[in-house]
């Protein structure tokens, strides 16, 4: 599904990613943890194709294709989805209109006809119900005036509508209250299948209680310094990152 | 020819009339030319006198200068002020039309028949627009609504024209209004009788005898007591015109309890990417509201090389309401100086101004607005919101809100923002599969939503597409 080799990325002359290797197979859930500023969001932005970063070395393959030269929208059309740590507000553009455009552009990118409005509305209602979102969100400007938790829930709503092959969830749990966390996690779990994969970026075990990862990676200072199974997350939760820092420097 | 001779003979000085082709006035402007125009239009004496008076005032005026608008001032003696309405050269098929123009039509979603009409291709009889127009006119006539060319109105409804023309925009109001008053030849006249709600949008498109857009159009719209009308001007299809200078005047009269909604989409040729060619659009639009009356101006301006216009409302009657909703897009080397004036004279008068400027390329956009509260305007209210959206670094946007308050009870609120389409917004859209061009269209439409919502439905849809086309290639 996703194969990253020796990825180096910098911005404005500062090296942020310093040799990342990561392979995610269909059906897997990976968790990426790591201290603030270690490069988690940068990694997700680079995978999604944000152009501000300079990539000096390495490669990214997605569904067996080298995507390094593809635009963000082309990657999206292939089935890549990023749930943003800080979703962006677009005043005056309703959630419905935004999603309609996103879905139809993605379909166009894949050579499909636009989705009939009726089907789209039906799907939207279903997914909103699944995520226990109020219908009033459909006509609100996207993310404008949304609370932190509402923004995150809206990201997962979009993911549910777009049905990606690979979803990267960048701190989707932060800002969610306990009930919302469960609802959102259930939503994510419903979208899991043997054909798609999920990368969750998080600081907390509580999300991983709901979305159980196959692998856990620790990103530190632009590198994956440790990988393990779900028990690694529990260990981090109780011990913090210091012991890892010591391990590296030792 | 008879009338022409009769009218012109007395002042016949230079003898050029014998030489000219009767369908076109020679270049230049003087009293004889005005007599010629008036004669051609078979106008009554008072109309000619009115024109001459305007001309005399114009001669004493100077063309205004604006800080943020630069253009080569036209040579007013090098323009022909009259030519008989010509039929466009009829083409046999769309294959003969400039392919660039057709591409734009396609993007705007203009139907094939409509494309043919606009480019002067003979239309097959299948969809006969004439019959649509006829039923339309019959229906209006039944209700007593008058909707015709201004030149016909001068002849057929002289009392109405005489009573109202120049009452909202006086002849000598400004340089361009004076010029228009002297030489106007085209435009619409509309009268809605007392208590009548006009059941359909009146659009210049449906006015019979419409022969392209005039250079000096004059529109006079009167909504009698308790009546309502929604009027559409312009169209989204790109308008090419040989005339570089356009100086229109629009006068609206809303009598007691009447409401006028006036919507404009302006898409004249803006010149090429280097800023060559393009229409200079200097318009004076103003409405007067009597007691409890309401006028709203909504405009989407994407065309012209230089635009100068301030649709205004004189809120004369108590409790009257003025509204101005505007989207002005400038791209490449376009320049726009637009805004509004809200003159509060009556008590409890209210005005709302929503102006959305969008600048791309090397363009310059200015908002210039005046809110004036007269001494008698007890409890007047105004709310203004003037936003600018910049695309790229080479364009400029300026906001000049002028406020004059002569009554202490007034409440005037002004908000202004300048924003850029953010990289973050674009990346967010891109990530969801929306390519940059479409993302810009989406963001821009969102930004203009409050204004587009004011337009009649079909017009709004067209206007949205128009915004997309106007901003194509403006980023990245
Ligand atoms: N334009 C820039 N110039 C220099 N440094 C930058 C720039 N943008 C980001 N960085 C730095 O890159 C590092 C990685 O940032 P990133 O957002 O990827 O961290 P993160 O692991 O997602 O952190 P968090 O857990 O706080 O979300 C940070 O130290 C950040 O300050
Ligand atoms: Mg982050």
């Amino acid at each position: 599904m996703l194969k990253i080799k020796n990825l180096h990325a910098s911005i404005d002359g500062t090296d942020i990613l310093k040799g990342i290797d990561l392979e995610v197979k269909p059906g897997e859930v990976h968790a990426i943890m790591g201290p603030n500023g270690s490069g988690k969001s940068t990694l997700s932005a680079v995978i999604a194709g944000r152009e501000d970063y300079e990539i000096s070395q390495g490669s990214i393959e997605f569904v067996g294709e080298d995507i390094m030269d593809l635009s963000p929208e082309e990657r999206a059309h292939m089935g890549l989805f990023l749930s943003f740590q800080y979703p962006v507000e677009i005043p005056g553009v309703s959630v419905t209109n935004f999603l309609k455009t996103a879905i139809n552009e993605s379909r166009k990118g894949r050579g499909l006809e636009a989705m009939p409005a009726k089907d789209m509305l039906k799907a939207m209602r279903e997914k909103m119900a699944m995520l226990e979102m109020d219908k009033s969100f459909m006509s609100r400007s996207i993310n404008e005036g949304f609370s932190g938790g509402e923004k995150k829930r809206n990201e997962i709503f979009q993911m549910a509508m777009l049905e990606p092959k690979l979803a990267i969830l960048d701190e989707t749990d932060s800002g969610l209250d306990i009930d919302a966390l469960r609802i959102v996690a259930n939503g994510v779990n419903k979208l899991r299948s043997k054909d798609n994969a999920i990368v969750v970026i998080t600081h907390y075990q509580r999300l991983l209680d709901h979305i159980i990862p196959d692998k856990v990676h620790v990103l530190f200072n632009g590198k994956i310094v440790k990988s393990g199974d779900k028990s690694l997350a529990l260990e981090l939760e109780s011990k913090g990152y210091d012991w890892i820092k010591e391990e590296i420097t030792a | 020819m008879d009338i022409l001779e009769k009218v012109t003979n007395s002042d016949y000085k230079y003898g050029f009339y014998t030489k000219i082709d009767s369908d076109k006035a020679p270049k230049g402007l003087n009293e004889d030319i005005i007599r010629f125009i008036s004669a051609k239009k078979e106008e009554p004496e008072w109309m000619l006198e009115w024109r001459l008076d305007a001309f005399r005032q114009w001669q004493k005026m100077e063309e205004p200068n604006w800080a943020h608008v630069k253009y080569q001032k036209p040579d007013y003696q090098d323009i022909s002020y009259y030519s008989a309405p010509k039929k466009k050269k009829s083409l046999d098929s769309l294959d003969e039309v400039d392919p660039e123009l057709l591409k734009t039509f396609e993007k705007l979603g203009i139907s094939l028949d409509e494309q043919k009409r606009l480019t002067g291709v003979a239309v097959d009889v299948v969809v006969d627009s004439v019959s649509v127009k006829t039923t339309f006119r019959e229906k209006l006539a039944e209700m007593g609504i008058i909707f015709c060319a201004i030149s016909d109105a001068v002849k057929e409804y002289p009392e109405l024209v005489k009573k109202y023309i120049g009452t909202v925009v006086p002849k000598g109001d400004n340089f361009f209004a004076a010029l228009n008053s002297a030489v106007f030849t085209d435009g619409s006249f509309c009268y809605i009788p007392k208590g009548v709600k006009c059941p359909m949008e009146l659009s210049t498109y449906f006015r019979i005898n419409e022969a392209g857009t005039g250079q000096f159009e004059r529109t006079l719209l009167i909504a009698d007591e308790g009546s309502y009308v929604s009027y559409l001007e312009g169209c989204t299809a790109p308008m090419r015109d040989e005339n570089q200078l356009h100086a229109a005047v629009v006068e609206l009269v809303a009598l007691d309890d009447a409401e006028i909604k006036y919507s404009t989409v302006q898409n004249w040729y803006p010149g090429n990417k280097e800023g060559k060619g393009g229409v200079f659009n200097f318009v004076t639009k103003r409405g007067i509201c009597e007691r409890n009356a309401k006028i709203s101006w909504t405009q989407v301006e994407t065309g012209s090389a230089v635009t100068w216009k301030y649709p205004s409302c004189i809120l004369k009657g108590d409790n009257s309401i003025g509204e101005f909703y505007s989207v002005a897009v400038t791209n490449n080397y376009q320049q726009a100086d637009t805004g509004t004036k809200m003159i509060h004279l009556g008590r409890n008068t209210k005005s709302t101004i929503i102006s959305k400027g969008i600048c791309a390329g090397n363009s310059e956009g200015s908002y210039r607005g005046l809110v004036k509260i007269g001494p008698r305007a007890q409890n007047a209210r105004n709310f203004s919101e003037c936003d600018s959206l910049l695309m790229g670094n080479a364009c400029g946007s300026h906001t000049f809100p002028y406020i004059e308050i002569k009554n202490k009870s007034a409440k005037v609120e002004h908000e202004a923002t300048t924003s850029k389409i953010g990289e973050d917004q674009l990346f967010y859209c891109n990530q969801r599969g929306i390519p940059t061009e479409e993302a810009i269209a989406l963001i821009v439409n969102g930004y203009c939503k409050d204004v587009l919502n004011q337009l009649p439905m079909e017009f709004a849809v067209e206007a949205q597409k128009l915004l997309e086309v106007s901003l194509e290639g403006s980023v990245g």
Side-chain angles (χ1 to χ4, degrees), chain A residues 11-12 14 16 34-43 85 171 203:
Chain A
I11 188 161
D12 302 334
T14 313
I16 315 272
N36 294 135
S38 55
K40 304 180 295 297
S41 294
T42 304
L43 175 62
Q85 182 175 3
E171 296 199 27
H203 289 294

Side-chain angles (χ1 to χ4, degrees), chain B residues 304-370:
Chain B
S304 299
V306 181
T307 302
W308 174 90
K309 77 186 258 198
Y310 315 92
S312 307
C313 296
I314 301 171
L315 303 173
K316 178 169 164 244
D318 292 350
N319 313 315
S320 59
I321 298 174
E323 293 175 341
F324 174 75
Y325 301 96
S326 164
V327 171
V329 179
T330 50
N331 199 353
N332 299 319
Y333 285 88
Q334 281 177 282
Q335 307 173 65
D337 196 304
T338 73
T340 184
K341 290 178 197 156
M342 292 290 175
I343 316 290
H344 293 249
L345 301 177
R347 292 156 198 275
N348 305 315
T349 46
K350 266 194 271 182
S351 63
T352 305
I353 298 171
I354 310 275
S355 159
K356 304 272 181 178
I358 301 165
C359 304
N362 291 282
S363 68
E364 294 278 332
S366 301
Y367 168 82
R368 200 180 293 279
L370 168 67

Side-chain angles (χ1 to χ4, degrees), chain B residues 148-163:
Chain B
C148 64
I150 188 102
S151 3
D152 295 340
V154 171
K155 283 177 285 182
E156 289 167 39
Y157 310 98
E159 344 57 59
L160 278 173
V161 177
K162 199 172 174 180
K163 184 168 173 193

Side-chain angles (χ1 to χ4, degrees), chain A residues 63-104:
Chain A
V63 290
E65 269 184 59
D66 175 0
I67 57 167
M68 297 289 273
D69 294 328
L70 299 185
S71 65
E73 60 271 22
E74 286 168 323
R75 299 180 196 202
H77 298 166
M78 290 168 71
L80 182 70
F81 181 89
L82 169 60
S83 167
F84 284 65
Q85 182 175 3
Y86 304 109
V88 182
E89 298 181 4
I90 309 178
V93 178
S94 69
V95 170
T96 309
N97 192 17
F98 181 79
L99 257 179
K100 190 182 90 187
T101 312
I103 288 173
N104 284 336

Side-chain angles (χ1 to χ4, degrees), chain B residues 2-15 17 31-32 35-36 39 45 48-49 52 56:
Chain B
D2 278 1
I3 300 166
L4 171 66
E5 271 163 8
K6 244 187 261 162
V7 183
T8 53
N9 264 349
S10 52
D11 272 334
Y12 181 82
K13 281 183 197 139
Y14 308 106
Y17 279 133
E31 296 201 359
D32 287 334
R35 289 194 169 85
F36 173 78
E45 185 68 25
L48 171 64
E49 284 310 320
L52 288 172
R56 286 169 201 143

